[in-house]
Amino acid sequence: MPSKLAEFEKHWAQRDDPHSFSGVWRFHDLLPFAPRDKCVTVGEGQTLLHQSDGAGKYAGMKLGRLFLQYEGMNPSGSFKDNGMSAAFTHARTVGARRAACASTGNTSASLALYCSVTRLMQAVIFVGSGKIAFGKLSQALDYGALTVQIAGDFDDAMARVQEITKELGIYLVNSVNPFRLEGQKTIMLRVLEALRWETPDWIIVPGGNLGNSSAFGKAFFELKELGLIDRIPRMAVINATGARTLYDLYEEQGVRWNEGKPNLPAVDAYCQDMDATGRRASTIASAIEINRPVNLMKCLRALQWTNGVVRHVSDQEILDAKAQVGAGGMGCEPASAASVAGAKRLVAEGVISPDERVVCILTGHQLKDPKATVAYHTTDQQQFNEVLGSRGVRRAAYANRAVAVANDKDEIIKAIRLYGSNM
Ligand code: F0G
């Protein structure tokens, strides 16, 4: 076991050893549950931390203080591959033949990819009908997963998958699976590595099922216990306004981990009220359109360890932030942009100071949800209204409009002169 974090770099980039180039397994010393000869990798975690002055300026930060951890560059296009390599490794060690998940799209894309690349298991995925972005659905279908579309939303699919995997003895890879979270801890290790092993001031992460936030808190708690870091960053978890269970419970009702004794009656009452009034999550950020996050308790614990805060941001804020991220070249899907929208809000509130060092996690790739992106940039008011207007989005302040022009050389040249930059 290394005594300094910098020693992990010794494992880096030995291309003949898949366990050294995997962005997860090169931290194997910190993931000792996995037998070394059974670790499954498809090349996950080759992701980078980028300084983003464009998004930083948008959020109100000083130059050089905002960083984006671009997890969209994983093989299946989202951070899920970090956890999937770990859960898959565990599934293999227990001899599983089938693996299942409920998903808003990215977990299922990741599971389907691991199954088809390794041929170790069959993927069975449960998705809410019409609740999953097209890019993600196309992945599951293309990779050959058995795809079960349930007439319901993610929470319905989640309840069913837990019931059915138990009955049929299928290995469950949702983030209720603790090994998923072990793999996702390595996102924080790579962030630390990129910052030359210095702890940032803030980690900002979108909150859906709360697997990431739980894993990040655990990563920092353990590193501190092991004496590998001397301070833990603060964490901000960002909900969508239309899916803000964590925000309501943590910030509005004051529910805390409370040394393992959270106010469970308050949580139950909240969920019962949700059912009684028929309130269902609704946001353009379909990845985090979740009513009952399965990792709520672990996330409360992580918030305690990180002295965390929770905020919610509207679909308008999410899409504006997404356009700013995209303009910087590291495009992301809507849910991911909640982190940058959250940074902006926390800077405006004075909770984050503009010269603190802030890392936002871009959880999923831009191509996951082209419908939302095109609707934001379109000049077609009907398309805008259909996709976004119905969600309360009123303007596309950072839209990059396509220029419509006749099929005529002179007209095209005129348009390029008129609209092009002088770069
Ligand atoms: N961002 C993206 C792109 C996601 O796909 C998810 C979750 C989250 C953020 C939220 O992360 O659950 O760890 O809080 N997607 C899950 C799925 C639910 O099924 O793909 P979390």
Side-chain angles (χ1 to χ4, degrees):
M1 169 71 194
S3 59
K4 278 204 182 112
L5 274 171
E7 288 173 27
F8 284 96
E9 287 176 306
K10 281 200 288 224
H11 301 313
W12 178 227
Q14 292 157 20
R15 303 303 290 189
D16 59 334
D17 173 9
H19 302 126
S20 84
F21 73 70
S22 160
V24 170
W25 297 119
R26 63 194 174 85
F27 299 105
H28 184 263
D29 305 80
L30 296 173
L31 307 167
F33 75 88
R36 218 181 146 76
D37 61 334
K38 292 255 177 1
C39 292
V40 176
T41 177
V42 300
E44 59 288 321
Q46 313 284 326
T47 59
L48 294 177
L49 185 75
H50 301 265
Q51 182 180 315
S52 176
D53 290 340
K57 190 167 169 221
Y58 176 69
M61 302 286 304
K62 287 202 175 132
L63 274 186
R65 305 313 280 170
L66 187 115
F67 296 82
L68 302 174
Q69 175 67 15
Y70 192 35
E71 290 299 310
M73 281 311 283
N74 272 289
S76 80
S78 85
F79 74 92
K80 302 285 179 179
D81 297 346
N82 293 283
M84 202 56 70
S85 63
F88 225 73
T89 296
H90 180 254
R92 184 188 195 185
T93 61
V94 299
R97 305 296 309 149
R98 283 185 296 179
C101 67
S103 184
T104 55
N106 280 326
T107 306
S108 51
S110 181
L111 172 62
L113 183 142
Y114 274 79
C115 283
S116 59
V117 171
T118 65
R119 305 212 165 270
L120 289 168
M121 277 161 253
Q122 191 199 6
V124 184
I125 66 169
F126 291 51
V127 294
S129 190
K131 292 288 182 186
I132 154 172
F134 248 52
K136 306 174 189 182
L137 182 59
S138 72
Q139 288 180 287
L141 298 175
D142 219 25
Y143 303 152
L146 170 55
T147 305
V148 185
Q149 277 182 310
I150 294 174
D153 59 14
F154 171 80
D155 292 76
D156 299 320
M158 189 70 225
R160 287 293 178 204
V161 79
Q162 286 179 284
E163 193 185 345
I164 289 165
T165 47
K166 205 176 270 174
E167 191 162 326
L168 298 184
I170 302 177
Y171 189 90
L172 181 63
V173 298
N174 275 105
S175 55
V176 280
N177 179 325
F179 299 102
R180 277 271 312 278
L181 304 192
E182 290 303 299
Q184 285 170 213
K185 288 191 313 194
T186 63
I187 300 170
M188 290 303 104
L189 296 168
R190 298 196 299 273
V191 164
L192 288 174
E193 181 180 50
L195 295 175
R196 307 315 307 142
W197 310 109
E198 275 177 27
T199 307
D201 298 303
W202 286 91
I203 299 288
I204 310 189
V205 61
N209 234 354
L210 308 179
N212 254 347
S213 42
S214 301
F216 297 173
K218 186 166 189 278
F220 287 115
F221 177 79
E222 289 173 354
L223 291 175
K224 179 97 192 320
E225 289 280 290
L226 290 167
L228 292 169
I229 55 173
D230 51 17
R231 105 191 141 82
I232 291 179
R234 296 189 70 187
M235 181 166 64
V237 184
I238 313 297
N239 279 161
T241 300
R244 55 172 205 254
T245 300
L246 178 68
Y247 173 83
D248 285 347
L249 290 172
Y250 187 79
E251 297 288 353
E252 294 290 332
Q253 302 200 17
V255 174
R256 291 290 183 274
W257 171 243
N258 192 23
E259 305 303 337
K261 295 190 201 67
N263 184 350
L264 292 178
V267 176
D268 287 344
Y270 183 89
C271 291
Q272 273 163 22
D273 179 64
M274 203 153 55
D275 291 343
T277 56
R279 203 168 71 241
R280 304 305 282 176
S282 175
T283 165
I284 190 75
S286 57
I288 53 175
E289 195 178 53
I290 292 173
N291 300 290
R292 295 180 194 214
V294 296
N295 290 299
L296 177 64
M297 292 303 143
K298 288 180 190 170
C299 177
L300 289 176
R301 190 178 63 173
L303 286 165
Q304 175 175 307
W305 282 334
T306 59
N307 186 19
V309 300
V310 182
R311 291 293 182 273
H312 65 88
V313 289
S314 68
D315 285 3
Q316 178 79 61
E317 290 170 277
I318 286 174
L319 290 173
D320 287 342
K322 178 174 134 38
Q324 290 286 310
V325 171
M330 296 292 156
C332 66
E333 64 168 286
S336 311
S339 59
V340 174
K344 183 173 168 63
R345 192 165 265 241
L346 288 162
V347 171
E349 284 177 16
V351 176
I352 293 181
S353 130
D355 55 8
E356 287 188 290
R357 200 143 63 149
V358 174
V359 175
C360 294
I361 313 300
L362 296 185
T363 46
H365 198 279
Q366 190 258 6
L367 294 175
K368 292 280 189 175
D369 191 355
K371 197 168 155 193
T373 307
V374 174
Y376 185 86
H377 292 290
T378 189
T379 47
D380 179 341
Q381 197 58 41
Q382 196 181 338
Q383 189 184 17
F384 180 91
N385 286 343
E386 267 170 25
V387 183
L388 306 178
S390 57
R391 298 189 172 278
V393 179
R394 294 284 160 254
R395 63 194 153 73
Y398 306 103
N400 176 28
R401 309 277 185 214
V403 181
V405 62
N407 183 10
D408 176 280
K409 191 177 95 182
D410 292 341
E411 288 295 316
I412 295 170
I413 290 174
K414 210 159 88 188
I416 291 172
R417 291 218 169 103
L418 186 61
Y419 295 106
S421 75
N422 293 324
M423 248 173 136

